[in-house]
């Protein structure tokens, strides 16, 4: 076979060109060794994309290997389009989280929309029907117009896309903190269900099988998106990055979803993969790499949207809503027929070979021929030492005991915390998402975790995304552990058993020692928590270079947790039910205020040691909760997190927006802690539960059996009564209508004003 | 001061995918309009504005386009002022 | 009772409607939009979703799908047709129901529970509801703001063709309880002959206790319980 | 046969509530554009079409407007053909 020759018009390969492709001199030497010759321009582009941070994981791979990935219920761990676990009853769940931070910073609506599109494809290419999405969003402070623009655009983008495809949103999180001023974090997660036997992988098996490009046409959009996602933003990027904006077409996605599931069920195909980051290049090379085969494709056969596209452009385009399919030889027409039913195109573009190379032709003339495995797996990886920044260390070690007194009094502070956009209801967000389509949403957003029913069964899947970036900023290890613990606790509160996680690691530039420190610490914290809580990692995503003009975001390892609830009749909701019910606190108050919402909202301070995680206590608490829920003795359960007990109690009383099921409560604490620390401390390992008076004894007994501190703190009171809280030092009587306005009104009052 | 009606046409940048246009094209074809070769969809915005002159009205609207009416990343715009007191397409 | 559930490319609630009919004791069947005939259907449901992406205007393109010819003929013959959410939009575009559904006043997609007051219990779609009853179900749309010109609106009201109105939990209509700016708080209407219903909220998502409400089920039991051809005899005030 | 670009402007009927226009008006006011008295938002559709003459192109598109591109209940439309081969706003 002829080796590829430079195309006319290709620029010569110079050190500058190599550098522009984000390839270091050492890496280029590696490429020369792999190729045994100078690469063509097209090949350089292919290497650049595949060896980018985004595809090659060069600065994260070694550390990620430390994560626990196995458990008897894990069917597919990291390395595929999505992780897969057994959820019982013959069903498997595919799930994954992905970032779309950079595209969302440039064009929030399309950036977020295409983020949803990509993660849906990752899930349905496993053979699973998407059943739920979640989103984890972190923005700068809401008082800045630019932030409001980004926030509203992102939410609308997520909504419009997911709604059109018809996938309910079951949850997520939104944070606002100056740590995300110019770099929003936009992570989207998808859950999909399938019968276990329908699992299919992204492989290119069987020499002679046919490669088909399916779905939308290829345009010039997003070329070098993978490289772009690996570079930091700088002023003026709005203009520079214009050609990289990808526009989402959710309708085509919906067709692609239906067609793909039909294709997979038909048995006509052996492999399928989304053309995501680095498009045709990564999908082709990865499918070949996983199977130990090769692929050969002719770019002239790829359906394009624009005239005159070069092989370089076609290979690297990130046009949305496209898939690469490996059809069993001879079944191409059957494949085409299914796609035609869904009004989609399918073109044969090449075949599976035995050569082990990723070979590309243009009208029959070779333009690239690269060994597939080194391309996908051979990217040099680095693990350079990190070092904590002195600034963060100082903040963490700062003595915050002087901030126990809220300047305007406790009640004002209480209202400020409950009405801070981080604690306040995210109703404004999730009501823009279809939460009920497909009629399986058993627990919608607004509680601790969303719960979706496995269709046709009484089994449910609970999910939650969590990461308190302020905590991870101050102490990445404790913060990451805390994110896992909180996510598991959220899921457990509904009565579901935490099973596995996916994660999205959003960090600044790994070229900086303090970012490397954050990353390493966060991975170690996640490792420890996941190992101990037996929730292995089945996949995820790393997003580095979330920086603008050298300013990095808070390290933000978002955890997407999955739990299974075997009997939906045992589900527990987060809000108090009946007046007269007894309220208990499970777990102990330690009054940890470091990195709290209280310090931020009341004292404008990000400092202190964030709450530590006692994994043993956390596990005991979770088992205790599950024992209670499976016995049906709880009326409600709601975990304590951002905003502390104050937030938990208010949320438990208010119930769901629009449901009109709010109640009051009368609570008393005897802890020997300053009021602020007691009410606003964000210590882990705590859940507020309620039960009917006749279950009180059983609640106490189950808690003591599990060695979990259990304190009766009060009683639910009738609708219309206030929230009364008594501490050693103070008594608060808070009108529920006032609290409701604070809690439900905070975000709308900012967002419903024009611009 | 006069009242002008200013027309703003906002269109997707060439090269960007236009799913709406694509869908309309498809629908037209299936209705038998097969001589249609391409369809692009944008927004038409009509502003009634008080200004000293048409030029002033146009200028102010162009400024508003850059700030709000068009998305500089994905859209182009074109502004035309009608004569004062002319109702335009209203 | 055979119920055809139309599936357009972009339909998202076809399965939900299918299940609702099943739960109500009827026999549902999917009919793909490219088909020309409804077969032996006794009633038709045009489900929610984003038929053809809702590009251009919701329902505008779907209205020309091949099956719509059969649906229109079926309705003109007195056959029972229900359009839910996007289905309502399609039926308006197809001229089977008067008026149009404009963008929500909030300019946002809205997805949450709403309360509806049943204004008519005598239709083939609401015979299992009591008039004046307040029911609860999810709504989920960006374009649910019902509009009709003043004469049409007056005629709808005068002939009692408003079937559901947005209200609060006690049945009081008000601007606050109106989620989208709909004229006269209209959530659902029937045509002049009383055999075609369109509504924006989703009875198909309120059919089981586990989903938080069963208030949608009577709509399907009404539909399934009413035999073919009875539409012509139903009273329209 | 020539290729024409036909511009279609679809606008909400006068008197009809126009939530989009209202929202933009509101946003403009809060940005300080207080001389804006009214805003209406419609769609601009550009069709490239093969036809013997501009008149023929326009006529065909007008027909498509009545059938599909505009909603007769709520919208008005206006069709203009550009010269053949002129790229219009594209
Ligand atoms: N972006 C979002 N999308 C969907 N639901 C959200 C989003 N943000 C928050 N929610 C929902 O609001 C509720 C409260 O969220 P959060 O404040 O993160 O609670 P917690 O502290 O218990 O994790 C949850 O049910 C969550 O799923
Ligand atoms: Mg959370």
């Amino acid at each position: 076979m002829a080796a590829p020759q430079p195309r006319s018009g290709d620029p010569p390969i110079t050190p500058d060109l190599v550098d522009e492709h984000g390839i270091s001199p050492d890496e280029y030497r590696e490429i020369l060794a792999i190729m045994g010759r100078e690469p063509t321009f097209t090949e350089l582009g292919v290497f650049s994309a595949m060896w980018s941070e985004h595809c090659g994981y060069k600065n994260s791979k070694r550390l990620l290997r430390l994560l626990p990935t196995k458990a008897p219920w894990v069917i597919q761990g990291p390395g595929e389009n999505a992780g897969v676990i057994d959820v019982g009853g013959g069903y498997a769940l595919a799930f994954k989280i992905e970032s779309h931070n950079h595209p969302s910073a440039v064009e929030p609506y399309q950036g977020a929309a295409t983020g949803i599109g990509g993660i849906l494809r990752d899930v349905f290419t496993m053979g699973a029907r998407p059943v739920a999405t979640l989103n984890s969003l972190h923005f700068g402070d809401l008082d800045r117009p630019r932030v409001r623009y980004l926030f509203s655009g992102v939410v609308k983008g997520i909504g419009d896309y997911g709604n059109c495809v018809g996938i309910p949103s079951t949850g997520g999180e939104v944070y606002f903190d100056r740590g995300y001023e110019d770099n929003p974090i936009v992570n989207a997660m998808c859950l999909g269900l399938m019968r276990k036997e329908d699992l299919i992988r992204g492989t290119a098996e069987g020499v002679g099988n046919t490669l088909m490009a399916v779905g939308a046409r290829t345009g010039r959009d997003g070329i070098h998106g993978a490289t772009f996602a690996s570079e930091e933003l700088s002023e003026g990027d709005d203009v520079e990055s214009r050609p990289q904006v990808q526009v989402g077409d959710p309708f085509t996605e919906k067709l692609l979803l239906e067609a793909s599931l039909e294709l997979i069920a038909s048995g006509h195909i052996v492999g399928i993969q989304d053309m995501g980051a680095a498009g045709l290049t990564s999908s082709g090379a990865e499918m070949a790499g996983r199977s130990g085969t090769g692929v050969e494709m002719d770019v002239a056969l790829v359906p394009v949207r624009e005239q005159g596209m070069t092989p370089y452009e076609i290979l690297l385009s990130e046009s949305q809503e496209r898939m690469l399919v490996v059809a069993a030889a001879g079944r191409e027409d059957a494949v085409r027929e299914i796609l035609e039913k869904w009004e989609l195109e399918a073109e044969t573009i090449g075949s599976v070979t035995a050569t082990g190379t990723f070979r590309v032709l243009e009208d029959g003339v070779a333009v690239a021929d690269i060994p597939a495995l080194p391309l996908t797996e051979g990217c040099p990886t680095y693990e350079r030492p990190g070092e904590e920044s002195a600034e963060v260390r100082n903040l963490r070690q700062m003595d915050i005991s002087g901030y126990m007194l809220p300047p305007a009094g406790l009640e004002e502070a209480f209202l400020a915390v409950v009405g801070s956009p981080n604690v306040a209801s995210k109703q404004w967000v999730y009501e823009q998402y279809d939460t009920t389509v497909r009629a399986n949403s058993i627990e919608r957003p607004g509680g601790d975790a969303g719960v979706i029913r496995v269709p046709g069964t009484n089994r449910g899947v609970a999910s939650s995304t969590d990461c308190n970036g302020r905590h991870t900023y101050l102490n990445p290890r404790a913060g990451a552990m805390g994110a896992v613990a909180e996510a598991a606790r959220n899921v457990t509160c509904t009565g579901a058993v935490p099973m596995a996680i996916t994660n999205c690691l959003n960090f600044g530039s790994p070229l900086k020692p303090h970012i490397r420190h954050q990353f390493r610490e966060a991975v170690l914290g996640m490792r420890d928590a996941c190992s101990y809580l037996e929730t292995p990692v089945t996949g995820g995503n790393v997003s580095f270079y979330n920086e603008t003009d050298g300013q990095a975001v808070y390290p933000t390892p978002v955890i997407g947790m999955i739990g299974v609830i075997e009997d939906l009749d045992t589900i527990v909701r987060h809000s108090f039910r009946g007046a007269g019910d007894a309220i208990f606190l499970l777990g102990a108050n330690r009054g940890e205020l470091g990195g709290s919402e209280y310090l931020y909202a009341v004292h404008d301070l990000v400092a202190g040691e964030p709450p530590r995680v006692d994994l043993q206590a956390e596990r005991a608490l979770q088992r205790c909760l599950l024992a209670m829920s499976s016995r049906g003795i709880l009326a409600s359960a709601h975990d304590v997190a951002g905003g502390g007990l104050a937030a938990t109690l208010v949320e438990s009383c208010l119930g769901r927006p629009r449901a009109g099921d709010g109640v009051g409560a009368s609570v008393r604490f005897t802890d020997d802690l300053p009021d602020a620390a007691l009410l606003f401390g964000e210590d882990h390992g705590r859940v507020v539960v309620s039960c009917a008076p006749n279950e009180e004894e059983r609640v106490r007994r189950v808690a003591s059996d599990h060695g979990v501190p259990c304190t009766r703190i009060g009683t639910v009171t009738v609708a219309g009564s206030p929230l009364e809280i008594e501490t050693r030092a103070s008594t608060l009587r808070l009108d529920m209508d006032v609290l409701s306005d604070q809690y439900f009104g905070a975000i709308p009052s900012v967002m419903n004003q024009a611009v | 001061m006069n009242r002008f009606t200013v027309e703003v046409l906002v269109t997707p940048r060439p090269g960007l995918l236009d799913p709406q246009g694509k869908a309309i094209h498809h629908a037209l074809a299936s209705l038998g309009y097969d001589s249609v070769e391409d369809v692009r969809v944008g927004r038409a915005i009509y502003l009634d504005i008080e200004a000293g002159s048409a030029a002033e009205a146009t200028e102010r609207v162009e400024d508003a386009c850059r700030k709000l009416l068009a998305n500089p990343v994905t859209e182009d715009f074109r502004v035309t002022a009608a004569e004062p007191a002319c109702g335009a397409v209203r | 009772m055979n119920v055809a559930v139309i599936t357009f490319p972009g339909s998202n609630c076809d399965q939900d409607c299918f299940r609702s009919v099943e739960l109500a004791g009827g026999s549902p069947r999917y009919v793909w939009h490219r088909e020309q005939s409804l077969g032996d259907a006794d009633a038709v449901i045009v489900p929610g979703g984003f038929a053809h992406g809702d590009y251009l205007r919701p329902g505008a393109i779907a209205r020309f799908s091949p099956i719509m010819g059969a649906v229109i003929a079926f309705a003109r013959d007195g056959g029972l047709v229900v359009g839910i959410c996007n289905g309502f939009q399609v039926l308006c575009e197809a001229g089977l129901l008067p008026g149009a559904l404009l963008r929500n006043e909030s300019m946002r997609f809205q997805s949450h529970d709403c309360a509806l007051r049943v204004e008519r219990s005598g239709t083939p779609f609401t015979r299992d509801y009591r008039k004046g009853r307040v029911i609860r179900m999810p709504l989920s749309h960006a374009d649910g703001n019902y509009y009709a010109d003043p004469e049409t609106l007056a005629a709808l009201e005068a002939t009692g063709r408003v079937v559901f109105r947005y209200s609060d939990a006690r049945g009081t209509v008000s601007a606050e309880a109106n989620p989208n700016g709909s004229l006269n708080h209209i959530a659902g209407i029937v045509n002049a002959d009383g055999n075609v219903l369109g509504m924006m909220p989703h009875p198909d998502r309120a059919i089981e206790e586990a989903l938080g409400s069963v208030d949608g089920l009577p709509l399907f039991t009404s539909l399934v319980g009413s035999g073919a051809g009875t539409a012509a005899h139903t009273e329209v005030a």
Side-chain angles (χ1 to χ4, degrees), chain A, chain B, chain C:
Chain A
M1 262 184 295
Q5 299 299 315
R7 278 176 96 244
S8 70
D10 276 0
I13 311 293
T14 62
D16 279 351
L17 188 74
V18 171
D19 185 62
E20 273 167 37
H21 279 76
I23 294 169
S24 72
D26 278 348
E27 288 165 356
Y28 188 65
R29 268 190 291 283
E30 190 83 18
I31 291 172
L32 289 177
I34 290 167
M35 301 294 292
R37 61 175 165 82
E38 181 173 89
T40 63
F41 176 60
T42 308
E43 288 170 334
L44 188 68
V46 166
F47 267 107
S48 154
M50 292 302 294
W51 284 15
S52 70
E53 193 66 55
H54 195 74
C55 294
Y57 287 84
K58 42 184 154 187
N59 285 293
S60 60
K61 216 174 203 167
R62 297 194 193 183
L63 278 165
L64 294 178
R65 287 204 192 101
L66 299 175
L67 295 172
T69 59
K70 294 200 168 66
W73 53 89
V74 173
I75 296 174
Q76 175 66 58
E80 263 288 344
N81 293 334
V84 181
I85 60 167
D86 190 338
V87 293
Y91 284 90
L93 180 89
F95 65 105
K96 174 119 185 270
I97 192 166
E98 271 269 0
S99 66
H100 240 211
N101 306 338
H102 290 82
S104 304
V106 175
E107 216 303 286
Y109 180 85
Q110 294 295 350
T114 51
I116 291 283
I119 197 64
L120 292 177
R121 290 193 293 282
D122 277 343
V123 164
F124 68 72
T125 48
M126 302 298 294
R129 176 174 283 280
V131 292
T133 60
L134 296 97
N135 57 107
S136 172
L137 312 177
H138 294 70
F139 299 97
D141 278 326
L142 212 40
D143 50 19
R144 284 195 42 197
R146 170 88 189 157
V147 171
R148 295 199 293 275
Y149 164 74
L150 291 172
F151 175 44
S152 60
V154 162
V155 169
K156 191 165 165 49
I158 290 173
D160 284 359
Y161 201 101
N163 298 344
C164 183
V165 185
I167 318 293
S169 167
T170 54
E173 60 182 338
V174 194
Y175 281 93
F176 305 96
D177 188 295
R178 53 181 175 259
Y180 301 96
E181 209 66 273
D182 295 306
N183 294 279
I185 298 297
V186 176
N187 293 175
M189 176 169 166
C190 178
L191 277 58
L193 279 165
M194 65 189 132
R195 300 290 309 172
K196 272 160 70 174
E197 59 273 17
D198 291 338
L199 176 66
I200 183 168
R201 293 183 167 89
T203 52
E205 306 276 353
V207 173
N209 281 336
T210 301
L211 243 45
M212 299 179 88
V214 163
R217 292 177 158 252
T218 297
R220 285 200 171 89
D221 24 18
I223 290 170
H224 267 190
T227 325
F228 171 55
S230 310
E231 282 160 8
E232 76 177 84
L233 294 174
S234 62
E235 285 301 325
D237 264 7
D238 283 13
V239 182
E240 299 282 295
S241 43
R242 268 171 199 173
Q244 288 159 335
V245 172
Q246 307 154 42
V247 173
D249 178 358
F251 174 58
T252 296
E253 178 94 346
K254 163 79 176 169
L255 302 181
L256 203 51
L257 154 68
E258 298 297 340
S260 299
L261 293 179
E262 201 170 319
L263 264 186
I264 292 165
S266 75
H268 296 320
I269 66 171
V270 299
I272 180 167
Q273 180 159 335
D274 172 32
M275 292 191 208
L280 200 47
T281 293
S282 63
S283 50
E286 284 174 14
M287 288 174 86
R290 285 193 198 108
S291 318
T293 54
V295 292
E296 179 176 286
M297 58 176 87
D298 193 326
V299 290
L301 301 174
V302 175
V304 290
R305 211 172 67 222
E306 293 169 66
Q307 293 309 304
M309 289 182 70
T310 63
Y312 183 101
E313 291 172 319
I314 293 173
L315 285 174
L316 297 178
S317 158
E318 297 194 351
S319 288
Q320 297 288 303
E321 292 94 21
R322 299 177 304 156
M323 317 267 250
L324 186 62
V325 162
V326 179
R331 310 273 194 93
E332 298 81 359
D333 285 343
V335 167
R336 218 170 276 122
E337 209 169 289
I338 290 176
L339 284 148
E340 266 163 22
K341 170 183 165 193
W342 292 102
E343 304 184 357
L344 291 169
E345 284 184 278
E347 281 304 331
T348 294
I349 61 165
S351 58
V352 178
T353 65
T355 59
T357 69
F358 175 70
R359 185 173 165 85
V360 182
L361 315 175
E362 182 188 26
D363 261 329
V365 180
V367 293
D369 199 351
I370 308 172
L373 207 56
L375 191 54
T376 57
E377 300 295 324
C379 173
T381 59
Y382 309 100
E383 190 183 355
R384 289 172 283 220
E387 195 189 346
E388 181 173 34
S389 98
E391 188 189 334
V392 174
R393 189 180 321 114
N394 291 338
L395 285 174
R396 185 179 62 251
Q397 292 173 349
M398 190 171 143
D399 176 12
I400 55 170
S401 61
Y403 293 92
M404 292 301 151
L405 280 185
L410 190 61
E411 181 166 334
E412 275 305 303
F414 198 100
L415 294 177
V417 167
V418 168
S420 96
N422 287 323
V423 169
S425 171
K426 308 304 184 293
Q427 177 187 10
W428 186 88
V429 175
Y430 58 71
E431 287 194 347
Q432 294 188 56
Y433 305 153
D434 195 335
T435 51
T436 48
V437 59
R438 306 192 74 81
N440 282 306
S441 304
I442 305 302
E443 177 73 5
R444 307 180 203 170
D448 280 310
V451 178
I452 208 91
R453 175 173 56 190
V454 179
T457 72
N458 202 34
R459 192 176 276 278
V461 174
S463 50
S464 175
T465 63
D466 289 282
C467 180
N468 184 322
R470 220 177 273 147
H471 292 179
T472 33
Y473 173 62
L474 292 166
N475 183 337
R477 192 184 294 223
M481 260 195 201
V484 177
E486 186 189 340
R489 211 158 55 227
N490 278 334
V491 156
T492 313
C493 278
T494 66
V497 183
M499 303 290 283
I501 70 155
T502 177
N503 65 88
C504 196
L505 307 177
N506 307 275
F507 286 76
S509 164
L511 306 179
K512 298 177 181 168
H514 76 279
I515 304 284
R516 291 202 291 273
H517 168 84
Q518 293 172 340
F519 188 78
R520 182 184 165 79
E521 286 293 298
V523 168
L524 294 178
M526 183 167 42
R527 173 199 65 182
D528 290 350
C530 287
S531 305
Y532 201 83
L533 300 176
E534 293 174 79
T535 52
V537 180
T538 63
N541 173 243
V542 178
S543 168
F544 280 130
Y545 302 99
N546 291 286
E547 301 197 354
T548 299
D549 300 329
Q551 190 55 47
V553 292
Y554 287 164
T556 310
V558 173
I559 304 298
M561 176 71 69
I562 298 296
V564 170
I565 175 163
E566 300 240 334
D567 176 4
L568 282 173
D569 295 338
T570 65
I571 196 168
V572 180
R573 318 268 175 186
H574 81 284
S575 46
F576 291 147
R577 255 194 339 225
D581 280 1
I583 307 173
F584 289 92
L585 175 72
L586 302 180
N589 295 324
R590 291 193 297 257
E592 293 170 293
L593 274 181
S596 65
E597 189 59 30
Y598 162 78
L599 287 185
Y600 193 72
V602 177
H603 295 283
D604 195 25
L605 187 68
V606 176
E609 184 69 59
R612 69 207 129 89
V613 181
D614 177 344
L615 288 171
Q616 213 170 339
E618 203 70 55
R619 187 164 67 180
L621 173 70
Q622 288 172 16
R623 291 191 172 161
C624 166
L625 265 172
L626 291 171
M628 290 177 177
S629 56
S630 64
R631 273 165 233 197
I633 59 180
L634 293 181
S636 74
H638 188 22
D639 97 305
V640 184
L645 281 167
T648 303
L649 288 169
V650 169
E651 288 167 349
S652 298
C653 287
L654 286 174
R656 301 196 154 271
R658 300 174 192 272
D661 59 355
V663 292
S666 177
V667 207
R668 187 159 165 251
F669 293 102
T670 56
D671 304 74
D672 189 11
L673 289 169
D675 282 344
L678 172 66
L679 295 178
F680 311 124
E682 298 179 357
D683 350 347
H684 287 286
R686 295 178 299 164
V687 172
V688 169
V689 301
S690 70
C691 70
N694 63 341
E695 299 288 9
E696 244 185 83
E697 251 338 284
R698 284 221 281 171
V699 166
R700 286 183 202 277
R701 188 150 15 93
V702 175
S704 104
D705 288 350
H706 286 83
V708 171
C710 173
T711 319
R712 170 82 194 253
I713 56 170
T715 308
V716 179
T717 55
V718 292
S721 19
L723 171 60
E724 291 179 311
I725 302 177
E726 202 187 314
T727 67
R728 288 188 152 207
S730 324
T731 304
L732 287 174
R733 247 182 92 87
L734 301 148
D735 184 78
M736 284 318 302
D737 288 337
V738 173
L739 289 174
S740 176
D741 285 350
Q742 283 293 104
Y743 181 72
F744 289 120
I747 292 179
S749 73
V750 183
M751 296 310 294
N752 291 353
Q753 73 194 31
V755 188
Chain B
M1 283 303 233
N2 270 312
R3 190 168 171 147
F4 296 85
T5 298
V6 180
E7 177 185 77
V8 179
L9 299 178
V10 183
T11 46
R13 281 267 160 83
L16 276 188
L17 180 71
D18 175 13
Q20 282 228 65
K22 209 175 81 183
I24 294 173
H25 189 178
H26 194 73
L28 286 172
S30 68
L31 282 176
Y33 296 97
D34 36 25
S35 52
V36 176
E37 307 272 320
D38 191 27
V39 182
R40 311 284 290 170
V41 181
R43 280 191 308 283
I45 310 175
Y46 297 90
L47 299 103
D48 287 355
I49 182 167
E50 292 282 326
S53 67
E56 188 195 319
T58 317
E59 198 181 305
R60 209 159 321 147
V61 171
E62 273 171 357
D63 186 55
C65 281
R66 277 184 290 270
K67 270 207 183 117
L68 178 78
L69 301 177
N71 181 339
V73 183
T74 55
E75 294 171 329
D76 292 324
F77 64 87
R78 205 178 46 172
V79 176
T80 336
E83 287 312 294
C86 159
V89 251
R90 303 290 316 292
Chain C
M1 179 82 173
N2 295 322
V3 181
V5 176
I6 311 293
T7 305
F8 297 102
S11 289
N12 292 329
C13 309
D14 42 342
Q15 272 114 328
D16 305 355
C17 289
F18 190 97
R19 233 180 94 67
S20 301
V21 170
E22 263 183 339
L23 274 182
S27 315
R29 188 167 65 82
Y30 293 115
V31 176
W32 181 236
H33 78 123
R34 276 204 208 148
E35 286 177 36
Q36 310 264 352
S37 151
L38 291 164
D40 57 358
D42 303 308
V44 174
I45 299 182
V46 186
F50 286 73
H52 296 278
D54 270 4
Y55 293 137
L56 187 58
R57 295 182 307 277
I61 298 177
R63 173 248 174 286
F64 290 104
S65 269
I67 193 64
M68 285 308 292
V71 172
I72 292 169
F74 181 80
R76 301 256 190 258
D77 280 350
L80 299 179
V81 178
V82 180
I84 298 170
C85 197
N86 193 223
F88 186 10
Q89 295 161 340
V90 173
L91 296 181
C92 285
E93 283 282 341
L96 288 177
L97 289 169
L101 293 143
L102 305 178
R103 183 64 50 87
N104 294 347
E105 219 170 20
S106 68
M107 287 297 292
R108 288 192 301 273
F109 189 96
Q110 287 183 218
S111 167
H112 49 76
D113 278 352
C114 67
L116 301 176
R117 193 172 73 196
V118 180
E119 303 287 90
R120 287 285 312 280
S121 61
T123 78
F125 315 100
T126 56
R127 62 188 63 199
D128 292 344
Y129 289 110
R130 211 170 10 85
K131 179 172 171 177
R133 184 178 153 191
V134 179
I135 56 178
R136 212 180 156 73
M137 60 184 66
L139 59 76
S140 199
H141 57 247
D143 304 83
N145 183 348
Y146 184 77
Y147 168 84
D149 60 62
E151 303 83 71
T152 308
L153 195 63
L156 279 175
E157 294 289 3
T159 52
R161 284 160 54 200
V162 176
V163 177
F164 299 110
R165 244 185 267 275
Y166 299 110
S167 75
D168 65 15
R170 283 176 306 281
T172 311
V173 298
S174 68
E176 263 119 73
N178 182 334
N180 49 34
S182 251
L183 288 179
N184 294 12
H185 314 290
I186 287 173
I189 55 169
V190 286
N191 65 343
D193 289 335
N195 64 312
V196 179
L197 169 79
M199 66 189 297
M200 285 314 293
H202 277 283
D204 50 327
R205 301 183 191 179
I207 51 167
E208 289 170 88
E209 287 296 355
L211 299 174
S213 171
V214 289
D215 290 354
L217 201 52
L219 188 127
F220 297 97
T221 57
S222 299
L223 177 73
V224 163
S226 53
T230 55
H233 311 292
T234 53
E235 41 91 35
V236 167

